[in-house]
Amino acid sequence: MKSRKALVAGNWKMNADIVSNEHLFTSLRSGLERTSMAHVEIVVCPPFPYLGQAIAWLSDTGVAVGAQNVSASPNGALTGEVSAAMIADLGCAWVIVGHSERRTLCGESDADVAAKVAAALGQGLNVIACVGESLAEREQGHTEAVLTRQVDAFAAAIAGPGGERLVVAYEPVWAIGTGRSASSEMAQDTHRFIRARLARHGAEAADKARILYGGSVKPSNASSLFSMPDIDGGLIGGASLVADDFLNICQAAAAA
Ligand code: PEP
């Protein structure tokens, strides 16, 4: 058993409606009643309009709820934005920051991601900060340079107030939603590299920090990935919308 408690977070992205959510929550509840998940922390991250529904349906299950994005600003004339204080006020414990889709589709920079990490930690939220290289960057041998830039932007936060609430998710962009996962060994090498970057800000904090793998995690590859020494769980996209798949992945993490 690893010293860091496993964590599995489901990123629903922009997929949900009230009725299908109810089915998913009901299946998750009954699955959790059947199986002990004592050794894994579980989070679901639906779109903003459904956070309240998720909190209401999952309140007594031990499953925490997170948002998929947060504003770096505390308030103001920012139409469409949602602050960290609002997310915390609603009862969410978690937020995902810097997902590659937000970096590429919404133009979020490393500085934006760092500001969001700071804002969310400042409001007492747990943060999953995502990093990862594109296929072209990997093929050109730039993976470490890209990760260095992305991780270094926020890494100092692990040694600051609330730093123990900062989780990193390594999500190679070429593996997200493609069915093409990194091999366990390749992911482990990259996780070790990320932990070493964090350690520049404090060896003990880096050792305690959880680093999740994301990118086409399925029940079939979860155990192998989670058995790696520096892989502390997963950020799960597509498979988090299928209750049995998500529960099987959580079980794999609990057993790792
Ligand atoms: C994600 O979007 O964070 C993700 C990992 O997606 P998928 O599991 O579908 O590849």
Side-chain angles (χ1 to χ4, degrees):
M1 191 68 61
K2 292 177 189 161
S3 58
R4 297 175 290 268
K5 186 168 187 180
L7 170 66
V8 175
N11 173 16
W12 292 12
K13 312 194 187 193
M14 202 172 74
N15 298 295
D17 59 62
I18 289 175
V19 173
S20 61
N21 296 350
E22 287 182 3
H23 290 138
L24 187 47
F25 294 140
T26 304
S27 304
L28 288 177
R29 288 185 74 90
S30 57
L32 290 166
E33 276 158 20
R34 282 195 307 272
T35 327
S36 163
M37 296 279 187
H39 298 297
V40 59
E41 207 174 335
I42 305 173
V43 183
V44 295
C45 302
F48 278 117
Y50 305 105
L51 292 174
Q53 185 195 16
I55 290 165
W57 276 73
L58 298 172
S59 61
D60 55 349
T61 59
V63 176
V65 177
Q68 297 175 17
N69 182 33
V70 62
S71 172
S73 301
N75 50 39
L78 292 158
T79 304
E81 291 292 301
V82 178
S83 73
M86 292 172 188
I87 292 168
D89 197 22
L90 195 57
C92 288
W94 289 84
V95 66
I96 299 170
V97 166
H99 191 280
S100 66
E101 286 152 15
R102 295 209 56 86
R103 289 176 185 263
T104 52
L105 303 175
C106 308
E108 283 188 13
S109 67
D110 294 326
D112 294 333
V113 174
K116 290 178 179 213
V117 167
L121 290 178
Q123 288 298 327
L125 293 168
N126 298 282
V127 178
I128 299 172
C130 303
V131 297
E133 80 287 0
S134 68
L135 184 58
E137 288 163 342
R138 177 162 282 270
E139 285 177 348
Q140 288 160 17
H142 296 156
T143 299
E144 293 195 352
V146 169
L147 292 173
T148 296
R149 194 195 74 229
Q150 292 179 340
V151 173
D152 285 6
F154 59 77
I158 66 151
E164 69 287 350
R165 286 185 271 106
L166 177 59
V167 172
V168 180
Y170 168 56
E171 298 206 302
V173 179
W174 46 270
I176 296 177
T178 59
R180 181 181 167 192
S181 172
S183 71
S184 303
E185 293 72 22
M186 186 197 283
Q188 163 57 26
D189 284 349
T190 314
H191 280 227
R192 190 191 305 113
F193 177 79
I194 291 170
R195 199 177 300 287
R197 291 310 301 178
L198 296 176
R200 293 159 60 95
H201 299 276
E204 202 187 331
D207 192 46
K208 287 186 179 152
R210 288 179 290 186
I211 306 178
L212 311 182
Y213 171 79
S216 297
V217 178
K218 307 281 177 231
S220 54
N221 59 10
S223 294
S224 164
L225 285 160
F226 299 159
S227 68
M228 294 290 142
D230 287 293
I231 301 183
D232 305 309
L235 180 56
I236 317 300
S240 70
L241 295 165
V242 181
D244 283 349
D245 286 358
F246 189 59
L247 288 164
N248 283 333
I249 291 168
C250 292
Q251 246 179 308

